Amino acid sequence: MARAHIELDKQAVIAPVNRRTFGSFVEHLGRCVYDGIYEPGHETANEDGFRLDVVELVKELGSTTIRYPGGNFVSGFRWEDSVGPRDKRPVRRDLAWRSIETNQVGLDEFARWLKLTDSELMLAVNLGTRGILEALDLLEYANHPSGTALSDLRIANGSPEPHNVRMWCLGNEMDGNWQTGFMSADDYGKLAARTAQAMKTAQPDLELVVCGSSGSGMPHFGDWERTVLEHSYEFVDYVSCHAYYQEYNGDLGSFLASSLDMDYFIDTVVATADHVGYKKRSSKKIMLSFDEWNVWYLHKSDEDGDNPDPAAAASAEWRHAPRLLEDVYSVADAVVVGNLLMTLLKHSDRVTSASLAQLVNVIAPIMTEPGGPAWRQTTFYPFSITSRLASGNVLRPVIESPTYDTARHGQASVIDAVATVDDDHAAVFLVNRDLTEPATVTIDVRSLGLARVTEAVTLADADPYAKNTLSEQNRVAPAPNDSAALADGVLTVTLPPVSWTAIALG
Ligand code: AHR
């Protein structure tokens, strides 16, 4: 049995827990919206056509900010199509996902859905095929109280109150050649700067996110961020990061250490943003919006390129709400998701917004069947439990753990952990990355001044590839970890192999 020890110091604060770390993402993609959150014929649907069983799961998930409506979708989207009387809305082709978009769900309906789920809207503007004027129009429609053409149109469309959207994405993945209207860093940086300047002239308290590289594997990663920020630094508040992880070629050890790559990614973007800031003699710090992250089985193998096969994609049929990107997640995937969320928390000083991509059916923690049930994927649990338990300040743990070698990420610690502490409670989140051995971890929590373990749960299974499916929706769920015990200021817990654990103290 492996052993590890963790020191927690209440004074070793990284930053406050930012609720926006627990954001998610709803794109008009596959069955995320249609036959996902929206299914008018479903027995739980409300008057807008939204499934209330899905709403309940979204609330339980504890997601906060929700990015909308894309993703790649946004780069061909005309927002005007999706407001006003539903029977007058045009049906369009969505080039990004080769789908038919009926526009039956748009900004006003989605804003109402967000109210049901207690979430904040983070809206993306189309800078792929549109520009400054359309972004300003959408801002006027969404946020201006009344008395102008577009705010009055919103009121006439049944939304008397402005939607008050604070966070806006200036396009999506504008560096990727799969993106409709993709650009060079220079062209995009200039367009983003001019759009941001105009939007902030209209409403100075907006929080604007400029697109970073669409992944750290892009050849221009780093250079793209530098160039884009050189143009836009004064006008924007965040730079975006996107990262998806998967197990390659049966190398579970590397996959379980994916958070090391996220660490490197964040450190690199922070260094690049600060470099531009120093050059500009600016006291302002650009924050990171990690607005797409998850496990996604995008590549069949290590050698795959970044893009879908264009010939195969171009010959596919145009369909409405096709089943796309419906990954079914295992225990190992959930351990990685839990660990990535821990990593985001550890960077709370600079990552102040994040979005799990995505929310329903499309690489999602929640799955649905038309006319049928909605259920939790394995990845639902580490997200919902962390969102519920993490509060107060994030602490920097000192971890003494055995290590192992990985092919993709070098040396990784077997145990990883993060902790948060509030006035009268604390939470510790841990993973055991060992493939076969349990680990006993001792955690010095004396400085927290808390006396009791109030909750201890572990997600694990004898089969790390166990999944929840339509026919077995509750095959995997967290179980109480009865080994967790607190005595003389030392918390001791045993972690099964390939597991994620949360312990709350009070
Ligand atoms: O989340 C799925 C897709 O991944 C998004 O549309 C895009 O931004 C990214 O490449």
Side-chain angles (χ1 to χ4, degrees):
M1 166 128 40
R3 291 189 174 276
H5 180 73
I6 298 171
E7 288 286 327
L8 289 182
D9 176 356
K10 197 174 182 176
Q11 306 304 321
V13 173
I14 297 172
V17 175
N18 194 315
R19 292 304 302 162
R20 281 181 175 160
T21 307
F22 304 105
S24 186
F25 178 25
V26 168
E27 176 167 4
H28 283 244
L29 192 183
R31 298 194 306 126
C32 187
V33 174
Y34 305 108
D35 281 353
I37 64 170
Y38 174 82
E39 191 188 330
H42 194 270
E43 60 180 7
T44 70
N46 70 1
E47 60 285 1
D48 271 326
F50 291 123
R51 281 180 65 155
L52 296 181
D53 58 341
V54 176
V55 165
E56 283 313 307
L57 283 180
V58 171
K59 282 161 71 174
E60 184 186 326
L61 182 69
S63 57
T64 52
T65 313
I66 301 199
R67 184 169 175 250
Y68 177 82
N72 297 340
F73 170 79
V74 81
S75 292
F77 180 51
R78 301 165 168 99
W79 68 267
E80 307 88 323
D81 288 349
S82 70
V83 298
R86 275 173 157 165
D87 58 349
K88 302 243 167 15
R89 297 184 191 176
V91 173
R92 301 266 191 200
R93 294 180 311 179
D94 161 34
L95 267 52
W97 302 106
R98 206 172 172 81
S99 299
I100 296 298
E101 173 56 55
T102 60
N103 284 304
Q104 290 303 294
V105 175
L107 174 57
D108 294 317
E109 291 84 26
F110 192 66
R112 285 200 287 279
W113 181 83
L114 286 166
K115 285 212 170 69
L116 298 176
T117 62
D118 296 327
S119 322
E120 179 194 8
L121 178 56
M122 175 184 190
L123 211 48
V125 300
N126 174 357
L127 290 188
T129 52
R130 307 190 102 187
I132 304 170
L133 189 61
E134 292 90 344
L136 287 175
D137 284 351
L138 178 56
L139 176 60
E140 181 186 326
Y141 185 91
N143 282 8
H144 196 79
S146 65
T148 64
L150 293 172
S151 58
D152 287 347
L153 179 63
R154 183 198 67 240
I155 295 167
N157 286 341
S159 296
E161 298 304 322
H163 298 311
N164 288 328
V165 184
R166 288 286 298 273
M167 284 196 83
W168 294 74
C169 301
L170 301 166
N172 176 67
E173 295 190 349
M174 294 302 301
D175 61 326
N177 65 3
W178 57 89
Q179 197 72 217
T180 312
F182 71 100
M183 289 173 205
S184 69
D186 251 321
D187 288 348
Y188 172 67
K190 287 177 193 165
L191 176 60
R194 290 187 289 126
T195 308
Q197 183 275 348
M199 290 177 77
K200 283 209 172 164
T201 301
Q203 190 177 335
D205 66 353
L206 297 182
E207 298 176 54
L208 301 182
V209 185
V210 75
C211 294
S213 309
S214 49
S216 62
M218 298 297 277
H220 51 243
F221 175 57
D223 271 346
W224 170 276
E225 281 78 359
R226 179 183 52 73
T227 307
V228 166
L229 285 172
E230 276 169 355
H231 289 295
S232 62
Y233 200 93
E234 295 84 329
F235 307 111
V236 303
D237 306 282
Y238 294 85
V239 59
S240 73
C241 304
H242 291 180
Y244 293 101
Y245 298 97
Q246 69 173 85
E247 183 181 336
Y248 287 98
N249 307 328
D251 182 2
L252 182 55
S254 285
F255 176 49
L256 290 169
S258 296
S259 72
L260 271 70
D261 180 79
M262 187 184 244
D263 254 325
Y264 153 80
F265 191 156
I266 293 169
D267 288 344
T268 307
V269 176
V270 167
T272 306
D274 287 351
H275 168 72
V276 177
Y278 296 138
K279 272 173 63 182
K280 289 181 175 280
R281 308 287 182 265
S282 173
S283 57
K284 168 178 167 180
K285 290 273 186 241
I286 298 287
M287 296 294 155
L288 274 53
S289 170
F290 219 116
D291 47 41
E292 286 188 33
W293 68 272
N294 203 347
V295 170
W296 177 9
Y297 286 86
L298 177 59
H299 306 293
K300 280 188 273 331
S301 76
D302 215 351
E303 288 74 44
D304 262 4
D306 261 337
N307 307 318
D309 172 2
S315 63
E317 262 179 60
W318 294 93
R319 284 174 298 157
H320 175 60
R323 289 181 185 255
L324 297 176
L325 281 58
E326 299 204 0
D327 288 14
V328 179
Y329 291 120
S330 67
V331 169
D333 297 328
V335 172
V336 170
V337 164
N339 199 182
L340 294 171
L341 192 49
M342 286 160 49
T343 304
L344 292 170
L345 284 169
K346 283 192 205 185
H347 288 277
S348 291
D349 53 339
R350 295 304 291 270
V351 181
T352 53
S353 181
S355 303
L356 176 72
Q358 300 192 1
L359 187 60
V360 179
N361 288 331
V362 173
I363 44 173
I366 298 168
M367 298 300 287
T368 69
E369 269 303 307
W375 67 97
R376 302 164 189 82
Q377 293 237 48
T378 57
T379 53
F380 182 98
Y381 294 107
F383 192 101
S384 63
I385 296 169
T386 308
S387 175
R388 178 168 57 81
L389 294 180
S391 69
N393 288 325
V394 186
L395 300 185
R396 190 179 306 287
V398 179
I399 304 171
E400 287 168 35
S401 161
T403 58
Y404 68 108
D405 288 323
T406 71
R408 295 181 75 85
H409 310 297
Q411 207 170 59
S413 66
V414 171
I415 302 298
D416 195 17
V418 71
T420 63
V421 62
D422 216 335
D423 295 340
D424 55 2
H425 59 271
V428 187
F429 306 97
L430 304 115
V431 289
N432 178 8
R433 295 171 173 147
D434 199 288
L435 303 189
T436 52
E437 290 295 312
T440 294
V441 184
T442 51
I443 309 165
D444 184 342
V445 294
R446 279 172 300 176
S447 84
L448 308 185
L450 298 167
R452 286 183 315 122
V453 173
T454 54
E455 183 175 342
V457 287
T458 290
L459 191 76
D461 196 281
D463 174 8
Y465 296 103
K467 297 172 170 135
N468 292 339
T469 57
L470 174 61
S471 57
E472 237 187 329
Q473 292 162 26
N474 298 307
R475 161 82 174 78
V476 178
N481 187 324
D482 297 328
S483 73
L486 178 55
D488 301 328
V490 177
L491 174 63
T492 306
V493 63
T494 299
L495 311 176
V498 192
S499 64
W500 174 91
T501 294
I503 304 171
L505 304 177

PDB file of all heavy atoms in Angstrom, residues 449-462:
ATOM      1  N   GLY A 449      -8.345  23.960  12.610  1.00  0.00           N
ATOM      2  CA  GLY A 449      -9.108  24.044  13.858  1.00  0.00           C
ATOM      3  C   GLY A 449     -10.478  23.393  13.764  1.00  0.00           C
ATOM      4  O   GLY A 449     -11.429  23.844  14.394  1.00  0.00           O
ATOM      5  N   LEU A 450     -10.613  22.337  12.981  1.00  0.00           N
ATOM      6  CA  LEU A 450     -11.907  21.659  12.834  1.00  0.00           C
ATOM      7  C   LEU A 450     -11.810  20.251  13.417  1.00  0.00           C
ATOM      8  O   LEU A 450     -10.762  19.607  13.330  1.00  0.00           O
ATOM      9  CB  LEU A 450     -12.312  21.600  11.359  1.00  0.00           C
ATOM     10  CG  LEU A 450     -12.497  22.984  10.720  1.00  0.00           C
ATOM     11  CD1 LEU A 450     -12.579  22.875   9.210  1.00  0.00           C
ATOM     12  CD2 LEU A 450     -13.744  23.675  11.273  1.00  0.00           C
ATOM     13  N   ALA A 451     -12.926  19.773  14.000  1.00  0.00           N
ATOM     14  CA  ALA A 451     -12.820  18.569  14.826  1.00  0.00           C
ATOM     15  C   ALA A 451     -13.432  17.313  14.220  1.00  0.00           C
ATOM     16  O   ALA A 451     -13.155  16.211  14.660  1.00  0.00           O
ATOM     17  CB  ALA A 451     -13.473  18.839  16.181  1.00  0.00           C
ATOM     18  N   ARG A 452     -14.297  17.485  13.194  1.00  0.00           N
ATOM     19  CA  ARG A 452     -15.070  16.322  12.756  1.00  0.00           C
ATOM     20  C   ARG A 452     -15.016  16.124  11.250  1.00  0.00           C
ATOM     21  O   ARG A 452     -14.977  17.093  10.495  1.00  0.00           O
ATOM     22  CB  ARG A 452     -16.552  16.521  13.123  1.00  0.00           C
ATOM     23  CG  ARG A 452     -16.881  16.351  14.580  1.00  0.00           C
ATOM     24  CD  ARG A 452     -18.386  16.506  14.822  1.00  0.00           C
ATOM     25  NE  ARG A 452     -18.963  17.646  14.118  1.00  0.00           N
ATOM     26  CZ  ARG A 452     -19.951  17.558  13.242  1.00  0.00           C
ATOM     27  NH1 ARG A 452     -20.474  16.394  12.921  1.00  0.00           N
ATOM     28  NH2 ARG A 452     -20.425  18.638  12.654  1.00  0.00           N
ATOM     29  N   VAL A 453     -15.060  14.853  10.847  1.00  0.00           N
ATOM     30  CA  VAL A 453     -15.314  14.536   9.438  1.00  0.00           C
ATOM     31  C   VAL A 453     -16.830  14.541   9.270  1.00  0.00           C
ATOM     32  O   VAL A 453     -17.530  13.773   9.936  1.00  0.00           O
ATOM     33  CB  VAL A 453     -14.755  13.143   9.067  1.00  0.00           C
ATOM     34  CG1 VAL A 453     -15.180  12.750   7.662  1.00  0.00           C
ATOM     35  CG2 VAL A 453     -13.235  13.119   9.196  1.00  0.00           C
ATOM     36  N   THR A 454     -17.346  15.447   8.437  1.00  0.00           N
ATOM     37  CA  THR A 454     -18.805  15.515   8.276  1.00  0.00           C
ATOM     38  C   THR A 454     -19.284  14.740   7.043  1.00  0.00           C
ATOM     39  O   THR A 454     -20.454  14.427   6.915  1.00  0.00           O
ATOM     40  CB  THR A 454     -19.277  16.977   8.175  1.00  0.00           C
ATOM     41  OG1 THR A 454     -18.535  17.618   7.133  1.00  0.00           O
ATOM     42  CG2 THR A 454     -19.055  17.710   9.488  1.00  0.00           C
ATOM     43  N   GLU A 455     -18.370  14.466   6.141  1.00  0.00           N
ATOM     44  CA  GLU A 455     -18.745  13.713   4.931  1.00  0.00           C
ATOM     45  C   GLU A 455     -17.455  13.179   4.307  1.00  0.00           C
ATOM     46  O   GLU A 455     -16.449  13.895   4.281  1.00  0.00           O
ATOM     47  CB  GLU A 455     -19.451  14.663   3.945  1.00  0.00           C
ATOM     48  CG  GLU A 455     -19.949  13.996   2.694  1.00  0.00           C
ATOM     49  CD  GLU A 455     -20.752  14.971   1.791  1.00  0.00           C
ATOM     50  OE1 GLU A 455     -21.199  16.033   2.275  1.00  0.00           O
ATOM     51  OE2 GLU A 455     -20.905  14.649   0.601  1.00  0.00           O
ATOM     52  N   ALA A 456     -17.491  11.958   3.837  1.00  0.00           N
ATOM     53  CA  ALA A 456     -16.331  11.408   3.103  1.00  0.00           C
ATOM     54  C   ALA A 456     -16.880  10.462   2.048  1.00  0.00           C
ATOM     55  O   ALA A 456     -17.544   9.477   2.380  1.00  0.00           O
ATOM     56  CB  ALA A 456     -15.384  10.678   4.053  1.00  0.00           C
ATOM     57  N   VAL A 457     -16.635  10.789   0.787  1.00  0.00           N
ATOM     58  CA  VAL A 457     -17.136   9.934  -0.303  1.00  0.00           C
ATOM     59  C   VAL A 457     -16.023   9.662  -1.301  1.00  0.00           C
ATOM     60  O   VAL A 457     -15.146  10.509  -1.540  1.00  0.00           O
ATOM     61  CB  VAL A 457     -18.328  10.571  -1.068  1.00  0.00           C
ATOM     62  CG1 VAL A 457     -19.593  10.535  -0.256  1.00  0.00           C
ATOM     63  CG2 VAL A 457     -18.005  11.975  -1.526  1.00  0.00           C
ATOM     64  N   THR A 458     -16.102   8.483  -1.887  1.00  0.00           N
ATOM     65  CA  THR A 458     -15.103   8.083  -2.886  1.00  0.00           C
ATOM     66  C   THR A 458     -15.808   7.550  -4.119  1.00  0.00           C
ATOM     67  O   THR A 458     -16.798   6.820  -4.006  1.00  0.00           O
ATOM     68  CB  THR A 458     -14.166   7.008  -2.299  1.00  0.00           C
ATOM     69  OG1 THR A 458     -13.337   7.632  -1.316  1.00  0.00           O
ATOM     70  CG2 THR A 458     -13.279   6.370  -3.361  1.00  0.00           C
ATOM     71  N   LEU A 459     -15.275   7.926  -5.272  1.00  0.00           N
ATOM     72  CA  LEU A 459     -15.749   7.354  -6.536  1.00  0.00           C
ATOM     73  C   LEU A 459     -14.669   6.394  -7.029  1.00  0.00           C
ATOM     74  O   LEU A 459     -13.534   6.823  -7.295  1.00  0.00           O
ATOM     75  CB  LEU A 459     -15.979   8.466  -7.563  1.00  0.00           C
ATOM     76  CG  LEU A 459     -16.712   8.005  -8.821  1.00  0.00           C
ATOM     77  CD1 LEU A 459     -18.194   7.835  -8.535  1.00  0.00           C
ATOM     78  CD2 LEU A 459     -16.533   8.996  -9.953  1.00  0.00           C
ATOM     79  N   ALA A 460     -15.004   5.126  -7.112  1.00  0.00           N
ATOM     80  CA  ALA A 460     -14.045   4.097  -7.548  1.00  0.00           C
ATOM     81  C   ALA A 460     -14.843   2.873  -7.967  1.00  0.00           C
ATOM     82  O   ALA A 460     -16.046   2.792  -7.703  1.00  0.00           O
ATOM     83  CB  ALA A 460     -13.102   3.732  -6.404  1.00  0.00           C
ATOM     84  N   ASP A 461     -14.175   1.944  -8.609  1.00  0.00           N
ATOM     85  CA  ASP A 461     -14.845   0.695  -8.977  1.00  0.00           C
ATOM     86  C   ASP A 461     -13.750  -0.341  -9.239  1.00  0.00           C
ATOM     87  O   ASP A 461     -12.635   0.035  -9.650  1.00  0.00           O
ATOM     88  CB  ASP A 461     -15.689   0.905 -10.250  1.00  0.00           C
ATOM     89  CG  ASP A 461     -16.701  -0.213 -10.453  1.00  0.00           C
ATOM     90  OD1 ASP A 461     -16.304  -1.305 -10.940  1.00  0.00           O
ATOM     91  OD2 ASP A 461     -17.880  -0.006 -10.099  1.00  0.00           O
ATOM     92  N   ALA A 462     -14.081  -1.601  -9.005  1.00  0.00           N
ATOM     93  CA  ALA A 462     -13.109  -2.657  -9.303  1.00  0.00           C
ATOM     94  C   ALA A 462     -12.706  -2.576 -10.781  1.00  0.00           C
ATOM     95  O   ALA A 462     -11.588  -2.919 -11.158  1.00  0.00           O
ATOM     96  CB  ALA A 462     -13.707  -4.011  -8.983  1.00  0.00           C
TER      97      ALA A 462
END
